[in-house]
Each structure stands twice: as C-alpha cells, then as structure tokens.
Amino acid sequence: MKTIKLFFLFTLLLSFNRVLASGCTGTEVPCSSASPFCTAITYNFTNETSTCAPTGPDYGCLASQPNPVWYYMDVSTGGSFQINISQSSGQNGSGSGLDVDYALYGPFSSVSSGCSSINNGSSPIQCSYNTQAVETLGIGLPGGDPSGTMTTPAAAVAGQFYIVLITNYSGSSGYITFN
C-alpha cells in the first residue's frame, strides 16, 4: 500500500511540474485530437482560449504554442495550393484582427503515423510566428513567415496527410477562418 501511495505522489508531482514548466494551466490538446479539413471548404470556428500544446514536439519557429487546435488534411487530388489562415474578434473576419500562428507537418501516410512522428520530434516543414492576423500556408507554393520557417514544400501527392497546429497567441476570444 505504501508503494502505491508513493507511486501516486510521484506521478502527481511529475504532472504538476510539467504544468509549471509549460506555463499552461488549461487542457492539453494532443495531435491525436486533430479534426479533418478540406481545402474546398471555408472554415470559421471559435478559437481556443484555454488549451495547451503538449510538451515534447518540435514546434519549429513557434516560440510558444498558446491555445492550440490541430487539423489534418487527407490529400485526395495532388497538386499545389495555399491556405489562408486568419483570426479576428468577430465571425467571418469581422471585428479586429488577432495574432494567429501555425506549424505545418507532413507529408505522412496516415494521421496516426503523423502524430507519432510529431510526438517523436519531427520538425515542421513550414511555420509562421509573427504578429499578423492573416497567415499563408503553402504546399507546393510559398507560405510561412520569412522570420520563421518560410519554405515551399513539394506539391502534395494524393494519399498524403498533412497536419497543422494553429495557435491563438493573444488568448483573446474570437474566430479562426481558413480556406
């Protein structure tokens, strides 16, 4: 019984230390929670204001990863494309602009292999960490921020998966739009 109590106390201390080290007191959002998206659809959803990115992954140019959300894309038709990511205080881009950042990972053969690779330290292929309310993500086309990781990954191939982490730097309530 003493061993179980000691193990429980040790586990609790490790968890508490992890929260202190990350500075986040919200809910940790793992890559495995990623939602699917399609490039033919415009998404507008409420941003996150109390979530944390897991410790451990390589977030590239993202010096911090506050209030993240994960999305993935299963490429059905190969080619090059750009995705505009924006964040504002009102729906559909209305209101004032809010800083939005991202890290793009891929390509992967599946979401689960992608998340495993990310969790094991795979570097993003593109990212942007600046004060802008609008970011451009590109696959086969330019994207990212010159002060971050501005790369032009190869064009996408059908059957590949890409995973993107989008963050709400300010923590202000608002909406993220991407298409």
Side-chain angles (χ1 to χ4, degrees), residues 79-80 104 106-107 125-126 137-143 149-156 162:
S80 300
L104 172 67
I125 59 171
Q126 189 177 92
L137 179 154
I139 298 177
L141 294 169
T149 306
M150 185 172 179
T151 62
T152 304
Y162 290 85

Side-chain angles (χ1 to χ4, degrees), residues 40-101:
I41 298 172
T42 297
Y43 294 85
N44 186 262
F45 57 90
T46 304
N47 64 8
E48 295 294 338
T49 57
S50 62
T51 58
C52 306
T55 56
D58 179 350
Y59 294 108
C61 73
L62 300 183
S64 64
Q65 311 81 39
N67 310 301
V69 62
W70 295 89
Y71 276 87
Y72 72 88
M73 177 182 60
D74 177 0
V75 177
S76 60
T77 304
S80 300
F81 53 89
Q82 288 181 315
I83 299 171
N84 293 315
I85 304 169
S86 63
Q87 183 173 218
S88 60
S89 59
Q91 286 188 342
N92 299 311
S94 65
S96 58
L98 302 172
D99 182 4
V100 66
D101 301 307

Side-chain angles (χ1 to χ4, degrees), residues 1-11:
M1 185 66 142
K2 200 178 223 183
T3 305
I4 293 172
K5 286 181 184 179
L6 189 57
F7 176 76
F8 177 74
L9 180 61
F10 180 71
T11 304

